[in-house]
Structure formats: C-alpha cells, structure tokens
Amino acid sequence: MERDRNEDGHGTAAPGARAQEPAAPEEHVRRETALERADRNFLELLQELRVTQTGVQILFAFLLTLAFTQRFTELDSLQRGTYVATLLLSVAAAVLLTAPAAVHRGLFRRRAKRRIVDVSSRLAAAGLGVLAFALSGAVMLVVDVVLGRAPGVAAGASVLVFITGLWAVLPWRLSRSLAASRTPPRRDGRG
C-alpha cells in the first residue's frame, strides 16, 4: 500500500504537490491505496465546498432581491455597475463551487477519481477567489448606498484585504512554517 505523507498529514496538499519531506513519524503516516486517498481527498473537498456554498447562495439571493426594492431606482451608474458586477461574480462563484459535483457526475465510474480531485480542487480555489471579489463588491455597494462613495470603497477594499489575509496569506504562512519545521538542520553550522 502507498503511504500518504502530504503536507498536512492528511493527504490534502495542493494539487500536483508531492510530499518531499523526510520520513514522517508513524502517527503522521496513512497507509492507504491511491484510490482510498483520492476518495478521502474528494470527501474532504466536498465538506469544504458545503461550507462555502451556503454563503454564496445567501449572497446571490440577497443580490437578486436588491433589484426589486424601491431604493434600487435611486442608484447612480457606478452603484448599478457595482451591483451588476457583484451579481455576476456571485453567479461565477456559485458555478465554480458547484462545478466539482458536475465533474464528478460526468466522470462517474470512469476510474478518474484522482483527476476529479485535482480538477475540483482548482475549481474550488478559483471559486474562492471570485467569491472574495463578490463579497467585497457587495459590501462596497451597501456601504456606498448607506454612507457614501469613499466609505463604500474603503469598506470594500478592507473586506478584500481581510479575505486575502485569511484565505491566502495565512495558509501560505502556515505552509511555509510547516515546511521550515520539517527541514533538517544543516550540518555545517550555518542554519
């Protein structure tokens, strides 16, 4: 049986990533076949998608209802543009985050689980990126309408920075920290 020693000890390293670290302690090694690992990875990915899909659906529903409110006619052209862009971004995020189910359905029983996992992981990452812009646009629009243009732009940019910090920078730093802790010390005394 193959051993899975991906970065998090659970086999969910970035698509295409290969574990290169030295032999892991026994408690961090899974003894599973490649198919078992792919099945587990896909189930973990689906759990992640369940978390994000609810938020996307709520955002999309909120945006759909805005166009039918009385105040919508008072929006200026920039606010309407922001609304349309945000609506389309939320649709794109919903499509990207639900695409793994369609990919799975299209390749069901074709012995392509590893490919399904790899493609689905990329779709999910793209969906999160698009969702970041949709959430920022929604906040910008609402704050612009309530408080004005400058606070709206500031709020939207702040949300984008906050999301980038939590969804991109934090995982990247944790990954680097884990990699550094697994690097054996240099024998020449310089590291």
Side-chain angles (χ1 to χ4, degrees):
M1 288 188 175
E2 276 185 41
R3 288 183 178 186
D4 180 14
R5 287 186 233 134
N6 288 338
E7 292 180 21
D8 66 356
H10 299 291
T12 56
R18 298 275 187 247
Q20 304 268 330
E21 70 271 10
E26 194 61 32
E27 69 269 11
H28 295 292
V29 176
R30 290 184 185 260
R31 287 179 171 75
E32 59 189 1
T33 66
L35 182 57
E36 288 169 336
R37 183 174 48 254
D39 286 340
R40 181 176 44 78
N41 289 169
F42 191 64
L43 289 174
E44 290 175 4
L45 178 63
L46 289 178
Q47 283 299 103
E48 294 168 8
L49 293 173
R50 284 184 185 104
V51 171
T52 57
Q53 285 175 350
T54 302
V56 171
Q57 291 167 345
I58 291 169
L59 174 63
F60 184 61
F62 163 73
L63 290 168
L64 283 178
T65 62
L66 280 182
F68 300 102
T69 63
Q70 290 178 345
R71 267 191 93 181
F72 190 79
T73 58
E74 299 171 16
L75 298 182
D76 63 30
S77 61
L78 181 63
Q79 291 167 333
R80 285 177 190 253
T82 301
Y83 169 79
V84 170
T86 302
L87 178 69
L88 294 175
L89 285 168
S90 70
V91 169
V95 169
L96 287 164
L97 292 169
T98 56
V103 169
H104 180 265
R105 185 57 27 217
L107 296 176
F108 187 66
R109 293 187 177 163
R110 297 201 184 197
R111 298 179 186 200
K113 184 62 71 97
R114 183 74 245 164
R115 176 162 289 175
I116 292 168
V117 171
D118 290 344
V119 169
S120 296
S121 182
R122 288 185 193 104
L123 289 166
L128 287 173
V130 173
L131 178 59
F133 286 102
L135 290 169
S136 300
V139 169
M140 183 179 127
L141 176 62
V142 171
V143 175
D144 183 2
V145 169
V146 174
L147 298 177
R149 182 73 26 92
V153 170
S158 297
V159 167
L160 189 57
V161 168
F162 184 58
I163 290 171
T164 301
L166 287 178
W167 292 2
V169 176
L170 178 63
W172 176 76
R173 296 222 25 205
L174 291 171
S175 176
R176 288 185 46 96
S177 173
L178 285 171
S181 70
R182 290 182 178 145
T183 303
R186 294 176 60 164
R187 293 183 182 186
D188 61 6
R190 292 189 287 175

